[in-house]
């Protein structure tokens, strides 16, 4: 039997499930504890996978039941409907393998746990990405980023099952088309299931402190990676609502990247301050929402977080419709006031298009 641990770089292997292996699943599962926005949602089937081979079992099951398959991780960047007819798949592979300064991690590992573990091992770089909720498998999907650092600078390769072809593949970093909150995987959610991620980290601590909030940290906070991690944890706890207390998915909109002339106009008309954009023209969407005085806007129990205007929150009992209606009111206002289209960051789950069962 082929197992994912045996793949080597550049391998492309067609994974065929053993006919005798059942796909273990639960039926009619309440997903409200599985999404940080706390939306009420039930899925028809929920199953776990360790390897590409397990995924093929799941696809065969779905084919027999004539239902679609979806993949999710920790549910911290998704918008779930009330009912998901089909099979929801979550990785349970939380393995971490270290080879020199490279770590290969299973898709089901907790991202923040990985940050903590790598720092303990004396491998640095991920400290700025501390406290991002969710799993390792989802990290490359939107190329997670925070405090001036994005995941792609560490990625060696991403192991996936291409559901469409049935091939287990290892994509090198330059094949993943990483961009700001974007990747090949995000553009083709119907195809790729991430099974493992390999990162190359730094055996030396070289702090990245270019981000504005980090520039004013006292020297003792930036002298060690653990100190920087603690400082970032504390800034985040202060700035962002805790999703365990008030349901949210972090930033609800991407920060728009605007032309220099548009930014100049926004600055001259005092819509945004100079520090609300970076050198690449990325403008704070929170600053635009604040400038439009939308802070008190709400739809039912869906509102804008008073802690951070980029965060939409579920104040208890909000539905997906409430959240999406609030989001489109914000988008329309920002479009009308400033001529800027805000793009929603969290995803609704897309069915995987999986290869037909080789046995028909
Ligand atoms: C309080 C808070 C703060 C946040 N801060 C940040 C931040 O600073 N920076 C940032 O970038 N993000 C941030 N996020 C968003 C979120 O934590 C990240 O996007 C995270 O990577 C999502 O991981 P997840 O496991 O929860 O994915 P999910 O929400 O479960 O899924 C997200 C998407 O990835 C897909 N997916 C999940 N697992 C796989 C897989 N194995 N293979 C293929 N597709 C998969 C899903 O289908 C879905 O489209 C924040 C969220 C919250 C709630």
């Amino acid at each position: 039997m082929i197992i994912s641990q045996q793949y080597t770089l550049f391998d492309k292997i067609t994974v065929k499930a053993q006919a005798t292996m059942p796909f273990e699943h639960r039926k009619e599962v309440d997903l409200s504890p599985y999404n940080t926005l706390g939306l009420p949602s039930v899925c028809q089937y929920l199953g776990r996978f360790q390897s590409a081979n397990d995924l093929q079992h799941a696809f065969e099951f779905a084919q027999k039941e004539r239902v679609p398959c979806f993949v999710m991780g920790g549910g911290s960047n998704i918008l779930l409907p009330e009912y998901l007819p089909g099979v929801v798949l979550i990785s349970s592979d939380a393995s971490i393998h270290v080879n020199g300064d490279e770590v290969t991690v299973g898709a089901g590992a907790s991202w923040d746990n990985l940050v903590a573990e790598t720092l303990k091992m004396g491998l640095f770089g991920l400290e700025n990405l501390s406290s991002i909720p969710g799993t390792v498998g989802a990290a490359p999907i939107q190329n997670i980023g925070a405090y001036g650092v994005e995941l792609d600078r560490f990625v060696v390769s991403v192991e996936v099952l291409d559901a469409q072809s049935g091939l287990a593949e290892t994509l090198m970093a330059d094949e993943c088309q990483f961009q700001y909150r974007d990747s090949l995987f995000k553009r083709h959610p119907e195809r790729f299931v991430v099974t493992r991620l390999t990162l190359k980290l730094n055996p030396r601590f070289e702090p990245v402190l270019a981000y504005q909030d980090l520039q004013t940290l006292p020297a003792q906070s930036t002298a060690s990676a653990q100190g920087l991690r603690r400082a970032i944890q504390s800034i985040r706890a202060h700035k962002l609502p805790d999703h365990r207390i008030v349901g949210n998915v972090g930033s609800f909109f991407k920060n728009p990247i605007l032309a220099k002339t548009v930014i100049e106009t926004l600055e001259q008309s005092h819509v945004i301050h100079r520090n609300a954009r970076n050198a690449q023209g990325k403008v704070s969407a929170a600053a635009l929402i604040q400038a439009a005085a939308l802070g008190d806007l709400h739809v039912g129990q869906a509102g804008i977080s008073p802690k951070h205007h980029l965060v939409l929150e579920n104040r208890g009992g909000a539905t997906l419709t409430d959240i999406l209606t609030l989001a489109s009111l914000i988008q329309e206002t920002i479009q009308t006031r400033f001529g800027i289209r805000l793009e929603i960051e969290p995803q609704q789950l897309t069915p995987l298009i999986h290869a037909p069962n080789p046995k028909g």
Side-chain angles (χ1 to χ4, degrees), residues 34 36-37 49 70-78 89 91 107-108 111 129-147 181 185 189 192-195 236 240-243 248-251 311 345 347-350 352:
Y34 290 80
T36 61
L37 196 48
F49 65 93
F70 306 89
V71 62
M72 63 177 271
S76 63
N77 212 22
I78 49 172
L89 296 163
S91 170
W111 173 262
L129 301 176
S130 290
S131 292
I132 299 181
T135 56
V136 165
I141 307 301
Q142 73 154 2
N143 184 24
I144 56 168
Y147 295 89
R181 299 293 187 274
F185 316 114
F192 297 107
V193 181
V194 173
T195 51
R236 290 181 67 105
L240 292 169
D242 184 339
H243 64 81
N248 74 83
V249 281
S251 303
V311 178
E345 186 184 296
Q347 302 288 297
Q348 300 199 47
L349 296 185
T350 304
L352 290 160

Side-chain angles (χ1 to χ4, degrees), residues 218-231:
Q220 75 207 46
S221 297
T222 58
S224 71
Q226 292 289 1
L228 184 51
R229 172 169 161 82
R230 278 193 297 275

Side-chain angles (χ1 to χ4, degrees), residues 132-247:
I132 299 181
T135 56
V136 165
I141 307 301
Q142 73 154 2
N143 184 24
I144 56 168
Y147 295 89
V149 172
E150 286 185 329
L151 176 79
D152 60 344
R153 70 161 77 182
F154 309 104
V155 174
V156 175
S157 60
V158 182
E159 290 172 48
V160 296
L161 180 74
D162 181 343
Q164 209 165 302
S165 64
L167 290 174
E169 297 189 27
T170 299
L171 300 184
M172 305 311 288
D174 62 356
E175 297 176 282
C176 299
Q177 300 173 19
F178 289 120
Q179 285 177 28
Y180 166 61
R181 299 293 187 274
D182 199 17
S183 69
L184 172 72
F185 316 114
K186 188 163 176 181
R187 267 169 265 143
H188 292 285
E190 77 290 356
R191 272 184 69 181
F192 297 107
V193 181
V194 173
T195 51
R196 296 205 300 176
L197 176 66
T198 297
L199 303 176
K200 185 176 172 62
L201 301 175
N202 192 343
R204 277 186 312 278
F205 172 52
E206 292 171 355
V208 177
L209 303 172
Y211 196 82
Q212 206 193 4
D213 286 359
L214 306 184
Q215 286 172 9
T216 50
L217 287 175
Q220 75 207 46
S221 297
T222 58
S224 71
Q226 292 289 1
L228 184 51
R229 172 169 161 82
R230 278 193 297 275
I232 287 171
Q233 285 171 327
S234 149
I235 297 171
R236 290 181 67 105
H238 181 70
K239 271 192 156 180
L240 292 169
D242 184 339
H243 64 81
R244 290 162 300 186
I245 298 168
V246 186

